[in-house]
Amino acid sequence: MVLFFTLPPKDIPWPYVLCNARNINKCINYIHNNINNIRAIILDSGIEVFRDPNIKNYPGGREYWINRLVNLYKKLQLVSKGQVFVTCPDYCDDYNPRSLWVSEDFTNIERTVENILYCVDNYPEVNWLIPIQGHNSSPNSIISSIALLQEFGITKKYDYYGLANLCVERKKDILIETVKLASRLLKGKRIHVFGPKLPSLPGIQKYIYSFDSTAWTRPSYFAIKYYIEPNKKPIRSCWNTFERKLYFLSWILTAIYKYNIMIDGINVKKYLELFLSLLAQ
């Protein structure tokens, strides 16, 4: 069984919630509506800010942003019954390769480790999800990231690690190779994967503890077959509340029935019935 973290439509209960630090109110509203169903929450750092190649750091700088995440962590603890994890702010290389490197010797990997050390040294009380960064489409690059974490004693203190260099990776073989390598290097640790593509999940599920995605806003197999094609709809992201619900349920059912992914904590029959009831409207 793997844990799937996401932020579903507000009236569909889900046990594992993904919160974005740059849009926290939306997540808190979801938590209020589903407070008794939530088992765990991951607070994401808001790394998508780096889609803009002109941005080189988090809003307000590293120390300001980490302090903001800690305050949000405390707020989420107050409003939720579930365990809360916080992703230490990392620097990606996949949105715009090399744009976050300071030099050849101080790349996005070293910058991320520097942030991790600041997080754990200044806020040891926080449940940190430790990001593993790498260079774009380079599985072996995570070796140096993990080696630095071992050198600084992080791997002796923390057991939950997030592979953060795969969010936009389209090549399934690269994604799977990276996950397998991390599993060997972090033996006995819990591994989370940020944003893996749906077709890659069969090749990685036995190596990971959890993953997250918000890609369900686009139609997957069940929505295409039973909603889009019969109604001659365009294949595009959801436009309304009805499609948000339908596409979310489709993503879950596609993962389970098409790709044989064993997702923890859900009643499959219930979600199938809800999907069918939406189609009947």
Side-chain angles (χ1 to χ4, degrees):
M1 289 284 190
V2 293
L3 280 58
F4 170 44
F5 287 84
T6 191
L7 186 60
K10 64 180 182 179
D11 53 353
I12 295 182
W14 193 256
Y16 304 108
V17 177
L18 179 68
C19 292
N20 189 307
R22 299 176 67 233
N23 192 9
I24 195 66
N25 289 335
K26 183 177 180 181
C27 188
I28 288 177
N29 288 338
Y30 179 84
I31 292 170
H32 282 312
N33 289 335
N34 297 277
I35 191 166
N36 293 321
N37 299 302
I38 296 171
R39 301 181 186 178
I41 298 167
I42 289 178
L43 175 61
D44 189 50
S45 66
I47 197 170
E48 70 281 352
V49 68
F50 297 121
R51 290 186 183 275
D52 183 344
N54 297 310
I55 294 179
K56 305 301 181 183
N57 213 332
Y58 286 91
R62 178 189 72 178
E63 295 181 11
Y64 169 83
W65 196 252
I66 290 173
N67 183 66
R68 182 174 185 275
L69 289 176
V70 172
N71 289 332
L72 292 178
Y73 165 76
K74 294 175 181 177
K75 187 173 184 177
L76 289 171
Q77 284 186 311
L78 291 174
V79 300
S80 171
K81 298 177 181 179
Q83 190 173 16
V84 182
F85 297 92
V86 184
T87 307
C88 184
D90 54 320
Y91 300 95
C92 56
D93 196 46
D94 46 3
Y95 290 158
N96 301 288
R98 301 175 72 93
S99 71
L100 295 175
W101 294 24
V102 176
S103 68
E104 292 292 325
D105 297 321
F106 201 71
T107 71
N108 67 300
I109 291 175
E110 290 75 22
R111 292 186 72 190
T112 295
V113 172
E114 185 179 55
N115 275 11
I116 292 169
L117 295 176
Y118 184 88
C119 287
V120 302
D121 288 344
N122 289 277
Y123 303 100
E125 74 278 8
V126 172
N127 290 326
W128 292 111
L129 173 56
I130 306 296
I132 305 294
Q133 263 300 348
H135 297 155
N136 183 50
S137 296
S138 175
N140 286 338
S141 64
I142 69 168
I143 295 174
S144 60
S145 182
I146 293 173
L148 285 170
L149 295 177
Q150 291 171 335
E151 180 181 343
F152 289 111
I154 301 299
T155 55
K156 292 182 179 179
K157 298 178 182 178
Y158 294 86
D159 78 331
Y160 202 9
Y161 296 82
L163 287 175
N165 63 324
L166 302 171
C167 296
V168 297
E169 182 56 64
R170 295 185 176 277
K171 294 182 179 179
K172 186 166 64 172
D173 58 337
I174 289 178
L175 194 149
I176 293 173
E177 182 183 349
T178 304
V179 171
K180 287 183 176 179
L181 179 58
S183 178
R184 292 197 300 270
L185 296 175
L186 294 168
K187 189 174 182 180
K189 306 295 186 181
R190 293 183 294 173
I191 294 177
H192 178 87
V193 180
F194 293 100
K197 300 295 182 290
L198 189 53
S200 72
L201 292 177
I204 66 174
Q205 70 169 324
K206 71 177 182 179
Y207 301 103
I208 66 175
Y209 175 77
S210 60
F211 70 98
D212 67 61
S213 178
T214 56
W216 55 262
T217 54
R218 287 191 59 82
S220 53
Y221 175 77
F222 275 79
I224 293 172
K225 183 174 181 179
Y226 296 107
Y227 171 67
I228 289 176
E229 290 180 349
N231 294 287
K232 295 181 172 55
K233 298 276 187 178
I235 296 179
R236 51 162 172 71
S237 296
C238 50
W239 275 24
N240 52 49
T241 300
F242 171 81
E243 288 187 348
R244 280 181 58 80
K245 293 179 183 179
L246 191 75
Y247 289 6
F248 175 75
L249 294 167
S250 169
W251 200 97
I252 300 302
L253 296 173
T254 299
I256 293 170
Y257 288 112
K258 183 175 174 60
Y259 293 106
N260 297 312
I261 306 304
M262 304 294 290
I263 298 177
D264 181 75
I266 64 170
N267 184 329
V268 180
K269 182 180 178 181
K270 175 182 176 182
Y271 287 104
L272 178 58
E273 290 174 348
L274 183 55
F275 178 77
L276 294 174
S277 69
L278 287 172
L279 288 177
Q281 290 181 16

